[in-house]
Amino acid sequence: MAERRERGKRRRGNPDGTMSLKEHLYELRHRLGMAMLIIAIGAIFGWIWFAVKLGPIPSLGDIMTGPYCQPDLAPYRVQFPGETGCRLLQTEPFESFMIRLQVGTAAGAVLLSPFWLYQFWAFITPGLYQKERKFARTFVSFAAILFAAGAVLAYWVVPQGLQVLISFGGDQFITALTGGKYVSFIITMLFIFGVSFELPLVVVMLNRAGVVSYELLAKWRRGLIMGLFVFAAIATPGTDPISMVALAVALTALFELATQLARVHDKRKAKLRAAEGWDALDDDEAAPFDYTPSDDDGHAPGEKSTASEPAKRVNYDDAT
């Protein structure tokens, strides 16, 4: 503890923010430990929430079994004698325990994600320029929103998908889903839809980086949309048409939105190039680059820096 306090004093008393490699490793260990502690607290909260309602919010167990317990699926579910509710089937001694632990940990990690993600952000942000910090904040914010939107859409289409899948058996089959396979199906759907909804963010980033242009996206629009439908057919478990069509249509709409954003960005970039005279240059004429060196925050000398703290640099001379 005394050594840790001494390291903290050295960092606070260092005006240029330099740190040795050893101090960086100590801080990384501290941040990882705090993140794991926060996730553990979230897991405890999710474990309790699994069986307890939080006021008007239903319990986590009721939320997970909600799609399976829809009234439209009642004719297809097996009903044991004397049973009045809607419950999943447990076929192994520790199945319900592992499901509760798995779902509770995942839900707690999602709810407390701003806190444990901040630990990683606090570790890397001092080494970023001010513009890079702003870009990273925007990227993370939109990524979280898109992932949540995808998960909500998945939760909405799961009952329709289950109804289609279960109805294939007709009168020759009865349905008594085991808890493990059902929860695995739900989590897989939420994850696939959430990750797939990051598509427009990836397209916009590639366009901003100059990798793809609006002309290229417009030229390959039909082929890319066809690829999105093929991806939706492969990615959705169960191969039910409801989930596949919902994911494909949503991805197509998001891709079109990203394409229009790329079009706006390319138009602005073309106007800027024309204003600076880039397109009018001869092959043997020097480009109008700005060779003025910038400071650690990406500002030219004389510009006001808005950085809250200096960037950390690894002093490898002190690493030994």
Side-chain angles (χ1 to χ4, degrees):
M1 292 296 294
E3 184 181 356
R4 182 178 299 175
R5 287 194 295 268
E6 183 63 24
R7 290 197 306 269
K9 291 179 181 179
R10 289 202 302 269
R11 285 196 293 266
R12 290 191 296 269
N14 204 350
D16 61 353
T18 58
M19 295 175 59
S20 68
L21 180 60
K22 183 178 180 181
E23 288 173 335
H24 270 288
L25 294 177
Y26 275 122
E27 183 177 4
L28 177 61
R29 183 183 66 177
H30 171 70
R31 295 296 182 183
L32 289 176
M34 291 297 297
M36 293 178 63
L37 177 61
I38 293 172
I39 293 177
I41 294 174
I44 296 174
F45 172 78
W47 174 274
I48 298 174
W49 182 26
F50 190 90
V52 177
K53 294 183 179 180
L54 303 179
I57 303 176
S59 66
L60 187 58
D62 291 339
I63 294 176
M64 292 299 298
T65 57
Y68 177 65
C69 295
Q70 291 289 331
D72 295 338
L73 295 180
Y76 305 100
R77 291 194 304 264
V78 61
Q79 197 78 15
F80 293 100
E83 182 184 1
T84 57
C86 172
R87 291 181 291 182
L88 296 170
L89 183 65
Q90 179 179 212
T91 58
E92 298 177 3
F94 287 98
E95 187 172 6
S96 61
F97 172 82
M98 295 304 299
I99 290 174
R100 184 170 180 176
L101 180 62
Q102 177 186 5
V103 175
T105 302
V110 171
L111 291 177
L112 299 185
S113 58
F115 300 98
W116 58 265
L117 285 175
Y118 170 78
Q119 301 299 322
F120 297 98
W121 174 257
F123 178 75
I124 65 173
T125 186
L128 301 177
Y129 291 137
Q130 183 66 19
K131 293 181 180 179
E132 293 172 339
R133 298 177 193 177
K134 181 179 179 181
F135 179 80
R137 285 194 293 265
T138 303
F139 173 80
V140 172
S141 300
F142 278 99
I145 294 173
L146 289 173
F147 188 91
V152 171
L153 177 62
Y155 190 81
W156 180 73
V157 302
V158 159
Q160 288 76 16
L162 281 175
Q163 183 174 357
V164 172
L165 293 175
I166 293 174
S167 62
F168 286 151
D171 297 333
Q172 287 73 35
F173 294 87
I174 59 174
T175 301
L177 297 180
T178 61
K181 292 187 177 180
Y182 169 77
V183 170
S184 227
F185 173 78
I186 295 294
I187 292 179
T188 302
M189 290 288 292
L190 296 178
F191 180 77
I192 290 176
F193 273 68
V195 173
S196 300
F197 267 51
E198 306 295 336
L199 170 68
L201 197 59
V202 175
V203 173
V204 170
M205 287 182 60
L206 293 176
N207 175 253
R208 293 298 179 97
V211 178
V212 295
S213 63
Y214 168 73
E215 293 182 357
L216 184 62
L217 293 173
K219 179 180 179 181
W220 291 95
R221 178 184 277 113
R222 294 183 179 179
L224 291 174
I225 292 177
M226 181 64 184
L228 293 177
F229 273 82
V230 173
F231 169 78
I234 297 174
T236 50
T239 64
D240 64 282
I242 303 298
S243 301
M244 184 199 71
V245 172
L247 180 59
V249 171
L251 290 180
T252 302
L254 291 174
F255 171 75
E256 187 61 31
L257 174 62
T259 302
Q260 297 306 314
L261 291 176
R263 180 176 66 87
V264 173
H265 174 261
D266 287 354
K267 281 188 175 181
R268 292 179 179 177
K269 186 177 179 180
K271 290 181 180 179
L272 182 60
R273 287 177 59 90
E276 294 181 350
W278 284 82
D279 298 329
L281 294 176
D282 295 332
D283 293 339
D284 57 350
E285 188 176 355
F289 288 117
D290 184 10
Y291 296 100
T292 305
S294 60
D295 58 13
D296 292 335
D297 292 324
H299 298 83
E303 289 185 345
K304 183 179 180 182
S305 176
T306 56
S308 58
E309 55 182 324
K312 293 180 182 177
R313 304 178 187 85
V314 181
N315 187 353
Y316 291 100
D317 295 334
D318 297 337
T320 58

